[in-house]
Amino acid sequence: MSADPPRAAHAGVDCVHADDTLLVLDKPAGLLCVPGRGPDKQDSLSMRAQAVWPDALIVHRLDQPTSGLVLMARGGAMQRALSHAFAQRLVHKRYQAVVAGLLRPAGGSAGEWSEIALPIAADWERRPLRVVDAGRGQASLTRWRVLAHDEAGGTTHVELEPVTGRTHQLRVHLAALGHPILGDALYADAATQARAPRLLLHACALGFGHPLHGGWCAYASPPPF
């Protein structure tokens, strides 16, 4: 298998890893994962990747304002294998975010993992928004822990682990706690949105068993904020 040097750059794509079967790319904030509707929404991570690796196929997505690690398959067979790993929750993902307010763990211990288990449903009247809805929402689970508090700024740097993979899950769950992510144009109030020039949410770690040889693959990307 061929592999690229770490953090190689190809045609506007920050490549963390590339071999004959898969790619790990570092998406910048503001870039779509796949093309949208209209000629002004054609620039995307998948289009840029396919300009370098024509067999590159999307396996999962990040929201447009979210930055960080994205796994792509090379070819249909590998796309099916990696999609199955995601469906079986065999791919481990971690995020970091900065949220409004001083978020405290339930047990009070620094570094302790806590959980948010709130069902999420589509808000059809305000699409693409999602909402916590006990009646019709899908079960959703997020693990989180505090990395640091900024007492003067009134913010908290958190690490997040989505156990389920609902649309906007991390953003909805943190907003439901009363601690929306800074720069969130969908789930934060105007003052919280204005505190950052972008959504302060970054996919910082990705781990999975390689579909061919089974060896554990782990990649990291420090948050740019």
Side-chain angles (χ1 to χ4, degrees), residues 94-95 97 103 105 109-115 143-148 156-161:
R94 293 275 178 90
Y95 294 72
L103 181 56
S109 300
E112 177 182 342
W113 285 95
S114 301
E115 293 185 349
R143 300 178 69 240
W144 64 272
R145 64 176 178 177
V146 172
L147 296 178
T156 307
H157 190 166
V158 295
E159 184 173 17
L160 305 159
E161 181 181 0

Side-chain angles (χ1 to χ4, degrees), residues 33-212:
C33 270
V34 297
R37 295 180 180 177
D40 60 328
K41 295 182 174 62
Q42 294 307 296
D43 185 25
S44 65
L45 185 68
S46 63
M47 294 291 284
R48 293 185 186 185
Q50 287 165 3
V52 182
W53 304 275
D55 57 353
L57 296 171
I58 282 286
V59 177
H60 69 118
R61 305 181 190 186
L62 296 179
D63 294 342
Q64 183 177 4
T66 303
S67 58
L69 298 175
V70 175
L71 177 63
M72 294 187 71
R74 299 192 63 183
M78 187 57 55
Q79 184 188 43
R80 289 188 291 273
L82 291 173
S83 295
H84 178 74
F86 269 94
Q88 297 298 311
R89 300 180 185 173
L90 301 177
V91 179
H92 296 179
K93 297 175 291 180
R94 293 275 178 90
Y95 294 72
Q96 289 186 31
V98 179
V99 304
L102 300 178
L103 181 56
R104 307 290 184 183
S109 300
E112 177 182 342
W113 285 95
S114 301
E115 293 185 349
I116 309 169
L118 296 171
I120 295 175
D123 188 340
W124 295 110
E125 295 182 355
R126 299 186 300 157
R127 287 178 291 180
L129 292 178
R130 298 301 195 265
V131 64
V132 171
D133 190 313
R136 57 187 182 86
Q138 293 179 296
S140 307
L141 179 61
T142 298
R143 300 178 69 240
W144 64 272
R145 64 176 178 177
V146 172
L147 296 178
H149 286 117
D150 180 354
E151 300 281 349
T155 62
T156 307
H157 190 166
V158 295
E159 184 173 17
L160 305 159
E161 181 181 0
V163 179
T164 53
R166 311 302 179 201
T167 300
H168 298 174
Q169 177 177 313
L170 301 178
R171 300 164 71 178
V172 171
H173 273 174
L174 288 165
L177 289 187
H179 297 275
I181 301 174
L182 269 58
D184 193 339
L186 293 180
Y187 300 101
D189 58 32
T192 303
Q193 291 180 38
R195 296 188 67 180
R198 53 153 293 190
L199 176 72
L200 298 191
L201 177 63
H202 181 77
C204 62
L206 188 64
F208 56 93
H210 198 286
L212 288 187

Side-chain angles (χ1 to χ4, degrees), residues 19-34:
D19 62 36
D20 295 336
T21 59
L22 57 85
L23 308 168
V24 180
L25 308 177
D26 202 339
K27 187 185 83 68
L31 181 67
L32 292 165
C33 270
V34 297

